[in-house]
Structure formats: structure tokens, C-alpha cells
Amino acid sequence: MADKKQSGFGNFVNSKIMPPVMKFVNTKAITALQNGMVYSLPFIIIGSIFLILGNIPIPAVSNAINTSGWGAVFAQANNTTFQMMGLWAAIGIAYVYVKNENFEPLAPGLTSAAAFLMLQNLSIDNPLKAALSSGIVNNNVTQMSGKAVTANIDKLPHVLQNFLESPVTGVINTKWLGGDGMIAAIIIGLLVGWIYTLIMKAGWTIKMPKQVPPAVSNQFTAMIPSGIILTGSMLIYGGFNAFAHTDFLNWIYNTLQIPLQGISDSFGGAIAIGFLVPFFWFFGVHGGLIMGSLVAPMLQANTADNARLFAEHRLTIAQGAHVVTNEFYNNFINLTGSGITIGLIVFTLVAAKSVQLKSIGKLELVPGIFNINEPFLFGLPIVMNPMLAVPFFLTPLVVAASTYLVIRTGIVPPLNGVAAPWTTPAVISGFLIGGWKMAIWQFCTLLISTAIYWPFAKKYDNVLLAREKKEAK
């Protein structure tokens, strides 16, 4: 009876839920988003290395690096790689969208970068004004002179007031090139790719003779679609500047990105992600691919925020650090593979008696260390296996909930923004993304997985053993 119910529910999921989900995941926009974001991955990982080098978690070493001047060098390298993930995303998404439509993709990628920069104010507030308002200058002068200095800008001479109120122009605000500009970068990249493709399909291009080299003719071909897109971007910038007294990136950040990051960085968000990844996998669909497409932009923005706070030595929840980041997703919810199946590996190597579990357990050991568990998912199998469904669903939920709580309550520090590759083995990845306390907690999650999987694996092993003895007779 239970098998029939499971089969009926499985049929319902596969016939009613999966088709629209897969249709959405395979749309041009989601495909471009997923594959376009990958172009930022090398810069994120390389930038993370510079972030670690500039913030070695040993005070004596860290102080020596900063005193020597290398801290500033590492910060420069990090700021021009990791902290520009929004810019890389805008380029990559438009590039992939147009490439998938079989048009030359470099020009629209660069057009997207130009639009991304055009839609933001190329200025920053006067840093001296911010320092006065925050009391930094006042406090420093007081410490040196022993006399209190007013930080009330209104009482300063008019010439100095005008200087402080005037923004610094002719600069690019790097705030929007990184995580804070991520949602705007995605929107711009998708719109540029879509509009560019429509114009190309409509034939609104300058056609050059066949004798003209492709490197030259491609640029003339791109001139009209790029010109239309950039002219439209200019008009949008002008409209926001005139009527909203802001810019497009600021508006997107405040109306969309902050709420979306808030949802992703919540207990409910952690639980939802922890449930949906194994849910899709259980029915044979790549849960990591689906959830990665949906939540990666917000989680990467959370990662970028934490990386900035870590570099500024302000990585605390009180200072705005996020709990749920891309590394929370990769190195906890998907630790040792979707479903956190390390506990199942431990059982198969230590206590399994059936030939099937022992042989597949040996096969899965090395991939499992590097967070790959397809041999279990399809070889054991876990997919559509009701006897292993409970631990497969429950383990990520327990780990997601407990990890959220230990970070939120301050038992372990927030994740530092370092982007450890998802194949980094457990405990090592914990140390890289959060220090020794996080490494210890990550080891605890391995024990949690073992405790949850053990009784279910033992029961399943007995069933397989009985079947093997029956077949041997």
C-alpha cells in the first residue's frame, strides 16, 4: 500500500510538477543566467585567494602583511576580481544569451557592460563629508589635540560646505560592480541579450561585402543593435536622474535586491533551499541545477557583502553579515553531495553486510570526499527509493537549520565570503570559509548525517541482504 501511495505521488510530481519546472529552467533567460554567471567563477575563486592572503586568521601574520604594505596589494587584487562579480555577470549573461541564438556574442557582452556602467551615477559622495558625519575625523582630532571638534557641517564656512556637499565626479562607484549590483546586472544582461537578438533577427544591421574580414564586418553588424541599446540606456538614465533623483542601479537595489537578499538570508530561506534540492533530486531531476539557477544571484550577493565586511574586519551579524550565502549552500546544504550522504558512505564502509551496499559504498568513497554523490543517487539508488527518502530529505533540513542557528546566535562566526570550490573536501572547506570554529562545526554536520542515515541504511541493508540470500539459493 505504501509503495502504491509513493508511486502515485511520484507520478503526480513527474506529470504535474516537473514539466512546468523544467520548462522554466530551460527557458532562454534561465539558461543564459545559469551559464552566464559561470563566467564570473574564475574571478570569484581567484579573488578569494587574495582575500585569504590579505586576512590570514593569525594576528601576528596578518599584522606583518599589513605593515609590509602587501595587505593593500592583496586588497587591490580582490577588489578588481571578486568585488566586480556584478560586472562579469552582466557581460557573461548577455554573451551567452546571444551566443545561444547563434550570433557573434562578444559585442553584446561589451554592450551590456557599457549599459551597466551607463545606468549608474559616475560619482560618489565626498568621503570627507562621510568621515565628518560619522565622527571619524572628530574623534581622531580629539585624540591628537585633546580638544573637541564640531562635526556639524552647517556651522562650517560656506565654501567648505559647498566642497563637502559636492560629489566626487568622473569615477566609477565600485559598490555597484560587485554584489550590490548583482540583480541589476542580471536584468541588464538579459535585456541586452534579448533586445540585441530581436534586432539581429529583424535584420537591422549594416551589411558589409564578403571581402571585408569578419573581425571588421562583425563590428559594423553590431553597430546598430548596440547603438539602439545604448541610446535606450542613456534615456533611462536621464529619466531616473530627472524624475526619481536616483539611478537605475540604486532603484533596483532598494526595490528588488534588498528584499530578495532578505528572503534568501532567513531561516525560512535556508529551510526551503535545504528541502528543495533533495526534493528535485529524489525524482531524478538535478536539484542543484534548479535551485542554483533560482537562488545563486542572491546568495552570491550575500557572499560579496560578507567578503567586504571580512576585509574591513567587521564580519559580525550586528554589522550586517549574512548567514545564508553561496558557501552556506555549497558547503553545508550540499556537503558531500545533495542529501549530505556522507553518513550513508560511513555505514556502507563500516556496517553494511549486503554486497550491493558494500560495493557501491567503496565506489562512492572518493567522489563523496569531493562532494560528488551521483553513484549513490543513481547506483544505489536513492532516486525514487522510499526506504532512503526520509534521511535524504531530513539531513539537509537538520544541517541547514542547525547551521543557521549556530551562526545567528554567534556560536560560530558568519561565513567570511571566501569562495571555496564546491569540490573542496569537508572540514578543509569549513576552515577556508569560516576558520577553525567553522571547520569543527562542519565535522559535526558529518556526524549528524551519520546519525540520521544509520538506522534507515541498516534497515535497507537488511532488505538487500535478504534479497541476495534468496537469489543465491
Side-chain angles (χ1 to χ4, degrees):
M1 187 69 178
D3 289 343
K4 288 183 179 180
K5 287 182 179 179
Q6 179 66 33
S7 177
F9 180 69
N11 289 335
F12 170 77
V13 170
N14 284 319
S15 62
K16 301 296 182 182
I17 296 178
M18 291 304 174
V21 169
M22 294 309 299
K23 185 177 180 180
F24 172 74
V25 170
N26 291 320
T27 58
K28 294 177 181 179
I30 296 300
T31 301
L33 171 60
Q34 175 193 333
N35 295 333
M37 293 284 287
V38 172
Y39 283 90
S40 65
L41 189 59
F43 303 101
I44 292 173
I45 294 175
I46 293 169
S48 292
I49 295 172
F50 296 131
L51 182 63
I52 294 172
L53 292 175
N55 297 272
I56 300 292
I58 302 172
V61 176
S62 180
N63 291 336
I65 290 173
N66 289 321
T67 302
S68 68
W70 277 98
V73 175
F74 291 139
Q76 171 79 354
N78 174 256
N79 289 336
T80 51
T81 51
F82 191 154
Q83 296 302 335
M84 289 194 174
M85 65 167 64
L87 178 61
W88 312 138
I91 296 171
I93 291 168
Y95 180 95
V96 171
Y97 194 110
V98 176
K99 184 180 180 182
N100 289 344
E101 295 286 352
N102 298 315
F103 295 111
E104 199 283 321
L106 181 57
L110 298 177
T111 301
S112 182
F116 183 61
L117 295 174
M118 190 182 293
L119 288 168
Q120 57 180 282
N121 287 323
L122 298 183
S123 64
I124 58 173
D125 290 336
N126 193 313
L128 184 56
K129 175 185 175 182
L132 283 169
S133 299
S134 64
I136 295 174
V137 172
N138 182 30
N139 292 336
N140 290 339
V141 172
T142 301
Q143 290 173 7
M144 290 186 292
S145 66
K147 297 179 180 180
V149 179
T150 180
N152 190 339
I153 296 174
D154 294 335
K155 295 182 179 180
L156 296 173
H158 288 295
V159 174
L160 187 53
Q161 286 184 40
N162 292 336
F163 168 73
L164 293 174
E165 293 293 343
S166 299
V168 180
T169 58
V171 296
I172 295 175
N173 190 346
T174 56
K175 167 185 173 67
W176 302 117
L177 301 184
D180 287 352
M182 182 61 72
I183 300 301
I186 291 170
I187 294 172
I188 292 168
L190 290 175
L191 286 175
V192 168
W194 176 59
I195 295 170
Y196 193 98
T197 300
L198 288 179
I199 297 172
M200 292 294 289
K201 287 181 176 180
W204 298 357
T205 61
I206 298 174
K207 294 179 173 61
M208 302 296 290
K210 292 182 179 179
Q211 293 80 4
V212 177
V216 177
S217 63
N218 285 338
Q219 308 319 309
F220 281 92
T221 301
M223 199 169 296
I224 290 178
S226 293
I228 292 173
I229 291 168
L230 294 177
T231 301
S233 300
M234 178 192 68
L235 295 174
I236 292 171
Y237 172 80
F240 271 93
N241 189 52
F243 300 108
H245 305 294
T246 185
D247 59 64
F248 180 76
L249 270 69
N250 248 308
W251 183 76
I252 290 293
Y253 179 73
N254 289 304
T255 58
L256 284 179
Q257 182 156 330
I258 289 178
L260 287 174
Q261 282 189 253
I263 293 171
S264 68
D265 187 34
S266 65
F267 184 78
I271 293 298
I273 298 170
F275 170 76
L276 289 173
V277 171
F279 174 81
F280 288 119
W281 264 122
F282 186 75
F283 295 100
V285 181
H286 200 304
L289 178 64
I290 294 174
M291 292 309 298
S293 300
L294 297 176
V295 304
M298 284 79 75
L299 298 186
Q300 287 188 354
N302 293 347
T303 292
D305 287 345
N306 279 20
R308 184 175 63 251
L309 291 172
F310 179 60
E312 296 170 356
H313 305 288
R314 298 190 298 118
L315 186 65
T316 63
I317 298 297
Q319 292 286 343
H322 300 282
V323 175
V324 186
T325 67
N326 205 48
E327 283 55 59
F328 186 102
Y329 173 75
N330 284 333
N331 302 114
F332 284 99
I333 290 177
N334 283 332
L335 187 65
T336 70
S338 300
I340 315 180
T341 51
I342 184 65
L344 194 52
I345 295 176
V346 172
F347 176 84
T348 60
L349 297 177
V350 174
K353 297 178 180 179
S354 65
V355 175
Q356 182 174 336
L357 277 191
K358 286 193 292 186
S359 59
I360 295 180
K362 293 176 183 178
L363 181 66
E364 168 61 20
L365 175 59
V366 174
I369 291 174
F370 295 97
N371 304 316
I372 300 168
N373 67 344
E374 274 77 2
F376 268 175
L377 294 173
F378 298 105
L380 201 58
I382 292 176
V383 171
M384 296 296 289
N385 185 342
M387 298 195 71
L388 294 176
V390 171
F392 188 64
F393 281 79
L394 183 61
T395 305
L397 288 176
V398 172
V399 169
S402 56
T403 302
Y404 184 94
L405 292 174
V406 297
I407 295 175
R408 176 63 67 178
T409 56
I411 297 175
V412 297
L415 300 175
N416 58 22
V418 171
W422 64 270
T423 52
T424 306
V427 181
I428 296 175
S429 65
F431 179 77
L432 292 175
I433 65 178
W436 66 269
K437 289 184 179 180
M438 193 63 72
I440 292 174
W441 172 249
Q442 203 175 54
F443 179 76
C444 292
T445 64
L446 304 182
L447 299 179
I448 291 172
S449 171
T450 303
I452 294 175
Y453 271 100
W454 195 279
F456 296 94
K458 184 176 179 61
K459 184 176 180 180
Y460 185 51
D461 184 51
N462 291 335
V463 171
L464 293 176
L465 183 63
R467 184 185 302 168
E468 290 172 357
K469 289 180 177 179
K470 185 178 180 180
E471 292 173 352
K473 290 181 180 180

